[in-house]
Amino acid sequence: MNPLRLLLLGAPGSGKGTQTSKLLKHFDHVKSVSSGDLLRQQIRLNTDLGHIAAKYIAEGKLLPDSFVTGLVLNELSSRRWLSSKSTWLLDGFPRTVSQAKSLRSELKPHGATLNMVVELDVPESVILERIENRYVHVPSGRVYNLTYNPPKVAGRDDVTGEPLSKRSDDTAEVFGARLANYRETLSPLKAFYSKIGILHKVSGETSDIIFPQLLELVQRELTKN
Ligand code: AMP
């Protein structure tokens, strides 16, 4: 199989976490990193970066590029993913053109630049409804939806049995700020990846409609000559 280095782009609540879980379940060898999960981990560990992150996240604002870029690049490096043979998926990073440029220049010398970017295009009305029903298992990043994807035991993570919680930045006010940020940064980011020729889009209202489209794109990339 060919290496796959994939970025999932999508509004908060568009289902990046859910699609990522589905892809990881489908392909044993695909692994993922989520910048939001890395930041929430820093908050739990009570680090300096965690303190800074908590403030930005609470207001639904993007962290300064250098903080997130450093964190994600360190993670890629410590997982030994900076290699042309590596296969992985990024969720939530890059979110700005500046982050995209830093990532690209870091990956290029290793022959490990992204080879696919997929935008998850979900109507905003659907997203808003989804957020109300969203619960997460913070340590793993696993996402549940009380309507579409409920946990097997109410309020408990399927794998560990630990309690689920509501994300503190899923309130109407903070969520509005996060959506606004997304709208502002999306077009330049899409233009960047479209110029490189690796941008794709999948559209739909539910993860069951989105996933088969995503799977087809991924399968094509993994098996192309
Ligand atoms: P997420 O889990 O991807 O929705 O991210 C949660 C929050 O973490 C965002 O609202 C931002 O405050 C912060 N964050 C995550 N990824 C990034 C990024 N690439 N650049 C800046 N801030 C980020």
Side-chain angles (χ1 to χ4, degrees):
M1 278 205 209
N2 296 320
L4 171 78
R5 286 178 295 274
L6 167 69
L7 163 65
L8 285 184
L9 278 182
S14 62
K16 299 188 293 295
T18 303
Q19 298 297 329
T20 299
S21 302
K22 282 176 172 273
L23 279 179
L24 301 198
K25 247 187 220 160
H26 201 91
F27 298 104
D28 269 353
H29 72 300
V30 178
K31 305 282 176 256
S32 73
V33 157
S34 144
S35 52
D37 286 349
L38 289 181
L39 290 168
R40 284 183 285 274
Q41 186 184 32
Q42 293 293 309
I43 295 173
R44 277 202 312 284
L45 295 172
N46 225 344
T47 63
D48 290 345
L49 177 57
H51 292 157
I52 298 169
K55 289 198 185 111
Y56 282 90
I57 292 179
E59 292 176 20
K61 289 186 182 153
L62 293 182
L63 269 83
D65 289 328
S66 60
F67 292 164
V68 188
T69 302
L71 183 70
V72 176
L73 287 175
N74 265 339
E75 183 73 16
L76 297 184
S77 165
S78 68
R79 292 188 182 211
R80 304 192 186 286
W81 283 2
L82 301 179
S83 136
S84 61
K85 297 204 173 74
S86 60
T87 281
W88 37 258
L89 185 167
L90 293 180
D91 160 0
F93 175 91
R95 263 206 182 54
T96 65
V97 171
S98 156
Q99 291 176 12
K101 284 183 177 165
S102 302
L103 177 68
R104 193 166 169 78
S105 63
E106 198 70 28
L107 296 177
K108 216 168 189 168
H110 303 278
T113 51
L114 296 180
N115 49 18
M116 182 178 271
V117 177
V118 180
E119 180 195 359
L120 308 182
D121 172 36
V122 178
E124 228 166 89
S125 54
V126 174
I127 285 177
L128 291 173
E129 192 192 307
R130 245 183 225 178
I131 285 305
E132 281 187 34
N133 284 318
R134 170 153 88 171
Y135 283 79
V136 289
H137 177 242
V138 175
S140 67
R142 276 185 285 279
V143 184
Y144 297 86
N145 182 290
L146 297 188
T147 313
Y148 309 109
N149 172 35
K152 289 182 188 135
V153 177
R156 298 271 159 186
D157 177 47
D158 287 352
V159 178
T160 62
E162 289 168 353
L164 302 177
S165 50
K166 205 82 196 123
R167 271 176 57 164
S168 58
D169 57 348
D170 275 351
T171 60
E173 193 193 352
V174 178
F175 193 77
R178 293 166 62 205
L179 258 187
N181 280 333
Y182 178 72
R183 283 193 216 106
E184 201 180 307
T185 52
L186 180 66
S187 308
L189 200 53
K190 279 172 64 174
F192 180 84
Y193 286 120
S194 163
K195 205 166 162 198
I196 297 171
I198 58 172
L199 180 68
H200 304 262
K201 177 161 150 174
V202 292
S203 305
E205 295 200 358
T206 66
S207 71
D208 291 347
I209 294 174
I210 298 254
F211 187 64
Q213 303 173 55
L214 178 62
L215 194 56
E216 197 189 323
L217 285 172
V218 165
Q219 245 149 0
R220 213 190 300 156
E221 187 65 35
L222 284 169
T223 55
K224 88 175 176 197
N225 291 320

